[in-house]
Amino acid sequence: MVGDRSVGRRSRRVGKAAPGEADAARTRILDAAEDLFAEDGFDATPTKLLADRAGVAKGLLFYYFPRKLDVLRTLFAERLPSHPLCAVGGLAVAGDVPGSLVRLAREFEHGRQKSPVLRTILFREANTHVEVRGHLHGLHAGLMDLTERVLDAASPFVLDHRMRRQAADTYVAVLLHEANALRCDGPLPDVSAAADIVALALSSGQPSLGGES
């Protein structure tokens, strides 16, 4: 096939690198992409600039990542995965729903601090690229799953599935709002107060937190 011959020609043109050298070049490309996409945006970053910043030939960049979009996808898949965010153990303490939720928030914040540049790219590019929006949805789904499991493990009584889902939806919305606000130096929500409100609503049996009534 034409595509296969093209890949073959590209492979021969680039030449074979030793495994360690290949890994280093690929890492430099991803490092450069992380910086440039955060500085200028994905669409405004030409592949030539990306290759120059990484210190590789443009052909080598396309050898590893046939499309610029593949670089973006790989960044999120490898450096900001949506699953697993962390384990429930160490977060949830039986009988302490507010404290468990706050520990979850701090764990999420710790993960955000390890990849602040990628989270900047994530929230900004989600508006214009469906692939990035899909990753953000995946991150939301992962947070929802983790939050529900933390609520189950911390609650002193069996939670109604519907109320647990609404509680998780409310708290995750606060966490994502905090992450986005930190990105643009906006006003921050009080996640501790949100944890108290969610816990109180669950214990009092209020039917509506963030979902349908």
Side-chain angles (χ1 to χ4, degrees), residues 45-87:
T45 301
T47 53
K48 184 181 185 308
L49 178 60
L50 180 53
D52 289 345
R53 177 71 69 92
V56 302
K58 192 173 178 181
L60 185 61
L61 187 153
F62 285 122
Y63 175 70
Y64 291 118
F65 307 101
R67 297 178 301 165
K68 189 172 71 167
L69 188 58
D70 294 324
V71 182
L72 188 64
R73 287 173 172 167
T74 303
L75 274 175
F76 288 128
E78 296 184 3
R79 301 188 176 188
L80 190 63
S82 54
H83 291 278
L85 295 168
C86 57

Side-chain angles (χ1 to χ4, degrees), residues 131-188:
E131 291 83 2
V132 181
R133 190 157 56 248
H135 193 84
L136 182 58
H137 290 168
L139 181 65
H140 178 271
L143 267 174
M144 284 290 294
D145 176 67
L146 179 61
T147 304
E148 288 195 74
R149 289 189 287 120
V150 166
L151 288 172
D152 272 336
S155 177
F157 49 87
V158 177
L159 295 173
D160 173 78
H161 289 184
R162 179 170 168 272
M163 284 198 65
R164 182 190 66 203
R165 184 73 177 177
Q166 292 177 350
D169 193 34
T170 299
Y171 198 65
V172 167
V174 173
L175 295 185
L176 291 178
H177 172 58
E178 180 189 42
N180 195 31
L182 283 166
R183 174 183 71 87
C184 55
D185 295 324
L188 300 178

Side-chain angles (χ1 to χ4, degrees), residues 33-53:
E34 192 170 333
D35 291 340
L36 289 171
F37 294 167
E39 291 170 9
D40 305 322
F42 174 78
D43 290 331
T45 301
T47 53
K48 184 181 185 308
L49 178 60
L50 180 53
D52 289 345
R53 177 71 69 92

